[in-house]
């Protein structure tokens, strides 16, 4: 079976499944980004998170939702306030950790060259322990300080998402233009080559190769150093 057709079938199958995340829908701040990727035939997203501030309690079996042996005391995709964190900390019985997690986006790619356009990295995070065996180890003043930092990171994360969206949209548009123009240059180059059999070669007119190299240089200069993206290539044995 044609691999492009198989990838389209796999994409349709995955995107038709129910959203099993805690929220049950795509976060507002990444809706446009997810739609941009899913609107391209060579990509589709499998999971995403716009960024969040969370308070986890490790090693406890309470009534809160469990994930990877942790109890979620607090989770928000918006800036939070100290009072909410203080109230949530009262439920901690183990080691409570305040975390900020930036954008997470998992993308399936049809082939390697499609994945290369999404290769970005980020260290824009925060993780600080607040309690030990249920005992608060820091002052409320320090908690307030941490919350301000987490909220600042949340705002910066939102700006990075917008910047990443604009850079990705621009890169995809250039890729499309390159794919359209490249065959034309090949035809032009072939026609020029045929013409030189009848007339002496004029180096000044042999410009097709130069134009193609310039397009490639522009694509190589597209550096994205914003949020972290996880990409997976369409498996050969799928």
């Amino acid at each position: 079976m044609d691999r492009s057709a198989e990838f389209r079938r796999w994409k349709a199958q995955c995107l038709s499944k129910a959203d099993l995340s805690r929220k049950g829908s795509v976060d507002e701040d990444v809706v446009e980004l997810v739609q941009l990727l899913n609107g391209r035939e060579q990509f589709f997203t499998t999971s995403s998170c716009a960024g969040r501030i969370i308070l986890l309690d490790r090693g406890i079996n309470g009534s809160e939702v469990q994930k990877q042996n942790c109890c979620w005391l607090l989770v928000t995709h918006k800036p939070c306030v100290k009072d909410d964190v203080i109230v949530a900390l009262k439920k901690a019985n183990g080691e409570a950790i305040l975390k900020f997690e930036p954008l997470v986006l998992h993308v399936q790619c049809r082939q390697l060259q499609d994945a290369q356009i999404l290769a970005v990295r980020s260290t824009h995070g925060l993780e600080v322990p607040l309690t030990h065996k249920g005992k608060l180890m820091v002052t409320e003043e320090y908690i307030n300080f941490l919350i301000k930092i987490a909220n600042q990171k949340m705002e910066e994360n939102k700006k990075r998402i917008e910047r990443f969206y604009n850079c990705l949209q621009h890169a995809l548009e250039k890729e499309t233009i390159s794919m359209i123009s490249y065959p034309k240059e090949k035809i032009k180059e072939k026609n020029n080559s045929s013409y030189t059999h009848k007339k002496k070669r004029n180096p000044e007119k042999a410009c097709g190769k130069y134009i193609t190299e310039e397009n490639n240089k522009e694509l190589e200069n597209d550096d994205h150093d914003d949020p972290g993206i996880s990409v997976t290539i369409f498996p050969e044995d799928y």
Side-chain angles (χ1 to χ4, degrees), residues 33-51:
L33 178 57
V34 169
Q35 290 176 343
L36 174 64
L37 288 167
N38 289 336
R40 293 279 176 160
E41 63 179 10
Q42 67 268 43
F43 305 118
F44 70 89
T45 60
T46 56
S47 65
S48 63
C49 177

Side-chain angles (χ1 to χ4, degrees), residues 8 22 24 31 36 41 43 52 57 69 78 83 102 110 113 127-128 131-132 155 161 168 171 181 188 220 222 232:
R8 287 194 296 270
R22 289 165 56 90
V31 168
L36 174 64
E41 63 179 10
F43 305 118
R52 61 191 179 186
D57 190 8
N69 299 321
K78 303 293 183 181
D83 290 345
R110 186 175 54 189
Q113 69 182 46
E127 182 172 343
V128 182
T131 69
H132 178 64
E155 291 300 320
I161 291 174
L168 178 61
S181 63
K188 181 179 178 181
E220 290 172 359
D222 268 323
T232 304

Side-chain angles (χ1 to χ4, degrees), residues 8-215:
R8 287 194 296 270
R9 186 195 66 78
W10 187 28
K11 175 178 179 177
Q13 178 182 352
C14 292
L15 294 182
S16 65
K17 294 180 180 179
D19 190 326
L20 300 178
S21 64
R22 289 165 56 90
K23 184 181 177 182
S25 62
V26 177
D27 295 337
E28 180 181 351
D29 290 338
V30 292
V31 168
E32 290 186 357
L33 178 57
V34 169
Q35 290 176 343
L36 174 64
L37 288 167
N38 289 336
R40 293 279 176 160
E41 63 179 10
Q42 67 268 43
F43 305 118
F44 70 89
T45 60
T46 56
S47 65
S48 63
C49 177
R52 61 191 179 186
I53 298 172
I54 56 178
L55 185 64
L56 300 176
D57 190 8
R58 291 180 177 172
I60 179 174
N61 294 318
S63 59
E64 292 84 357
V65 177
Q66 300 291 319
K67 184 176 182 181
Q68 296 180 348
N69 299 321
C70 291
C71 176
W72 295 53
L73 301 176
L74 175 71
V75 56
T76 177
H77 295 84
K78 303 293 183 181
C80 68
V81 296
K82 184 186 74 172
D83 290 345
D84 292 340
V85 175
I86 295 298
V87 171
L89 278 171
K90 293 179 180 179
K91 304 176 186 178
N93 294 320
E95 296 182 356
I97 298 174
L98 181 68
K99 300 180 65 176
F100 166 73
E101 297 178 342
L103 167 69
V104 174
L105 187 63
H106 298 278
V107 183
Q108 292 285 352
C109 302
R110 186 175 54 189
Q111 53 189 357
L112 180 59
Q113 69 182 46
D114 299 325
Q116 289 174 339
I117 201 172
L118 291 170
V120 297
R121 297 292 183 268
S122 176
T123 57
H124 188 64
L126 177 70
E127 182 172 343
V128 182
L130 301 180
T131 69
H132 178 64
K133 295 182 179 180
K135 180 181 178 181
L136 187 63
M137 304 301 291
V138 298
T139 64
E140 290 192 14
E141 181 181 6
Y142 185 66
I143 293 174
N144 191 51
F145 169 71
L146 290 176
I147 292 172
K148 287 182 179 179
I149 293 177
N151 288 340
Q152 289 172 358
K153 286 182 176 289
M154 180 71 80
E155 291 300 320
E156 174 62 23
N157 179 69
K158 185 174 182 179
K159 293 177 182 178
R160 291 188 179 200
I161 291 174
E162 294 175 356
R163 189 160 66 247
F164 176 69
Y165 174 86
N166 291 332
C167 289
L168 178 61
Q169 186 178 46
H170 180 62
L172 291 173
E173 288 173 353
K174 289 199 339 181
E175 183 186 50
T176 300
I177 293 173
S178 178
M179 291 175 64
I180 294 174
S181 63
Y182 181 72
K184 292 181 180 179
E185 292 301 332
K186 295 296 287 184
I187 293 173
K188 181 179 178 181
E189 185 177 322
K190 182 177 180 181
N191 291 338
N192 287 339
S193 178
S194 298
Y195 182 67
T196 56
H197 289 294
K198 300 178 182 179
K199 185 177 180 180
K200 288 185 178 180
R201 181 177 179 82
N202 187 342
E204 295 180 358
K205 292 184 179 181
C207 60
K209 185 174 184 294
Y210 173 76
I211 294 174
T212 303
E213 289 178 347
E214 285 298 309
N215 288 338

